[in-house]
Structure formats: structure tokens, C-alpha cells
Amino acid sequence: MSAPDTTLFEGITSRIVTTSRLAMQVFERVDDDPAAGPRKTVVLVHGNVSSALFWQEIMLALPRDLRVMALDLRGFGGSGSQPVDATRGLRDYSDDIAALFDELGMVSAHLVGWSMGGGVVMQYALEHPVVSLTLQAPVSPYGFGGTRRDGSRLTDDDAGCGGGGANPDFVQRLQDDDTSADAQTSPRSVFRSSYVSAGYTSPHEDVWVASMLTTSTAAGNYPGDDVASENWPGFAAGENGVLNTMAPQYFNAAGLVDLDEKPPVLWVHGTADAIVSDASFFDLNHLGALGIIPGWPGAEVAPAQEMVSQTRDVLDAYAAAGGAVTELNWEGVGHSPHLERPKEFCAALVAHIEGA
């Protein structure tokens, strides 16, 4: 089903493209050139518990000589909700994009990925040609949770990672289409506390919340399964669903360093990011260290994941191996630089595209 008209900004249109893998919803700008080549095409990929709706301000702000597209990943927005095989890491999503490109006759593009979408575009770049990569507050190349600074895994089963880490009340509120701010676990409250920094306001907040509520909680989608573990905190990553795709046993994009053809990389993130951080409030080991989750076994056994430092280490190695990397770390900005500083984000993206 297409996104309701009330969530689409003027100048944005949506359509369903049926590929060899699933039906995907694609957002485009009215009057963009559908025949634009790869160096003039920008594809925006959203993150977890969101959809292409989040990209609309950026889509409208980018220059008109570009073809700009945003897509809904499977299980989000108006795309199909086929189960996600987490044992393939983020490959189900990157393969979906490849199938979409095939259907549209596209060879390559400038790819922009936000949060989990950053991991998706990294995975795509490992297997397909890319003109440039833009990573906005991306998941670490070593996945989410359960690793030391060098990417080595803390436990053989990725204890504390994956589907078991989702808050059940938040999942229930997604199912109930809760638009209130009555509880800390409501999607609107989570958006305000975690997606953006304190003080951010927008007349489009209802659209952002509506986007979050498109998240499918059907079997094999969000959040995914979990298994019992002898290691703290008592569960480990399962084999299906969104959160398990980023467990370190399944996802590792550090191989970008070894690519023969290295697309230029723009990395944009903020110092006030609550989700992707060296001290993430979504990392159970960090919450254990704070005493929020009892029984933490200590930093030798269960250290917090240094997510930003890991990304910097991999991108430093990428640059040392001949790749071009630009890092923008914006003071006081949260998990959504494109919402909090849209003009600066667009300017940085356009400069990156022009230099590719």
C-alpha cells in the first residue's frame, strides 16, 4: 500500500516497483529525469524503524539537475514484508536494492544510507559498483553490539545482540499505531529522545512518527527472534528479523578496505547521537555498565561497543589503502543530521557528489 497522501510532501510522488524479489515502494521528485545516468542519480536509504518518508525534506532541497530517489526497505513503509534471513546479515536488503536497480535499468548511483541503511549501502558496495557512498550515523562496519574495538566478537553466540534487545512495550506500541507521547516507550517519545538531539522541533513530526509506525512486526520482520544464552544478559542473536541482521556473526563490512575500486566516502554524524555512539543507550553492555540492566559482568567481559571509533578505524584504513574519506562530526547533533541540519547536510552531499 502506498503511503497516505497526508504524509507525502508536495513535489514528491510514490510508486510501487515489482522486482524479482518483492514489491518495493519508491519515492521520487515530480519532473526528475528518469533517464539520468549513475553520476546524476542519488538513492537515499533509510534506517531501522523508519521509511523513505524521512528523506522528503532532503529530496526537495537537492539540486534539480539530479535524479533523487528514496526507497522503502522490506518490512518498512509501503514495501513488502517478506521475512528477513538474518543469517545473511544485511544482504536481503542489499539484494533487494540490486533487484530494484535491475528492474529500473540502473547500473549504479550515489548511495546515501542512514543508520542501519548505512550498513545496507556498505554491504551493497561490497558486491556492486557504486559512484559514491554517504554514511549518515551509520551502524558500525562490525555490526551493532557485542564486539571489541578491533571488531572481534565478545561471545560465540553474540550475547546481548539482536531481537531480544527490543523493548516489548515499544514493539506493542508499533503494533497499536500509538501516536501519543504518553510513555517513554511510545514511538513519538523514542523519536524525540533518540532520533534527534534535545531541542529539535519540526512541523513534520507527525510524518516522522507515521513513518516509524509503518514498521512491520510480522514474523521475520521487526524485531526478530532470540535464543537463550549462558552468557550475560541471558539471550543471544536469533536467525531472523531486523535486529539480528546486524549481529556481528552475520554482518561485517570491514572488507570495504580491500575493494579494488573504492568509491569516495562521506561520513556525517553528530556528537549527541544516542543510538550510534561509543556509549550507545541502545547497547546493552553500556546499559549494564550504567547499572540500568542488573548483573553486568564488567568491562573485561562485556565492554560497551565503541561504534564510532570502529567506523573511524575502518575508514582510516580505507583512506590508507587509497580511498577518499571525508568525515563531518557535528557538535550537538543527534542521530538524524539530515533533519537537524538539512541545509548543511545538502551542501555536504552535493559537494561530495560533485567531487566523485
Side-chain angles (χ1 to χ4, degrees), residues 38-46 55 67 69-71 93-94 97-98 100-101 106-114 117-136 263-267 345 349 352-353 356:
R39 293 197 170 276
K40 286 291 186 179
T41 301
V42 183
V43 178
L44 305 163
V45 182
H46 66 82
W55 287 117
R67 180 190 186 191
M69 305 168 59
L71 56 86
Y93 299 117
S94 62
I97 294 175
L100 175 68
F101 282 15
M106 295 170 54
V107 177
S108 185
H110 299 272
L111 295 188
V112 182
W114 171 35
V120 173
V121 301
M122 284 190 270
Q123 183 64 54
Y124 185 92
L126 287 171
E127 300 166 342
H128 305 279
V130 173
V131 183
S132 75
L133 282 177
T134 297
L135 308 175
Q136 177 184 242
V265 175
L266 171 64
W267 176 27
F345 182 84
L349 178 56
H352 180 56
I353 289 169

Side-chain angles (χ1 to χ4, degrees), residues 194-241:
S194 303
Y195 282 42
V196 292
S197 60
Y200 168 85
T201 59
S202 169
H204 306 302
E205 185 180 85
D206 286 347
V207 177
W208 313 149
V209 174
S211 175
M212 296 173 70
L213 292 173
T214 67
T215 301
S216 173
T217 56
N221 284 261
Y222 184 84
D225 64 340
D226 64 273
V227 297
S229 174
E230 295 180 354
N231 301 302
W232 186 89
F235 73 87
E239 296 186 345
N240 67 69

Side-chain angles (χ1 to χ4, degrees), residues 129-161:
V130 173
V131 183
S132 75
L133 282 177
T134 297
L135 308 175
Q136 177 184 242
V139 62
S140 164
Y142 298 117
F144 198 95
T147 57
R148 300 176 185 85
R149 172 75 175 261
D150 65 0
S152 58
R153 293 163 57 205
L154 299 177
T155 65
D156 290 338
D157 59 358
D158 292 343
C161 300

Side-chain angles (χ1 to χ4, degrees), residues 256-267:
L256 288 170
V257 172
D258 300 319
L259 287 177
D260 292 332
E261 298 293 331
K262 293 180 171 64
V265 175
L266 171 64
W267 176 27

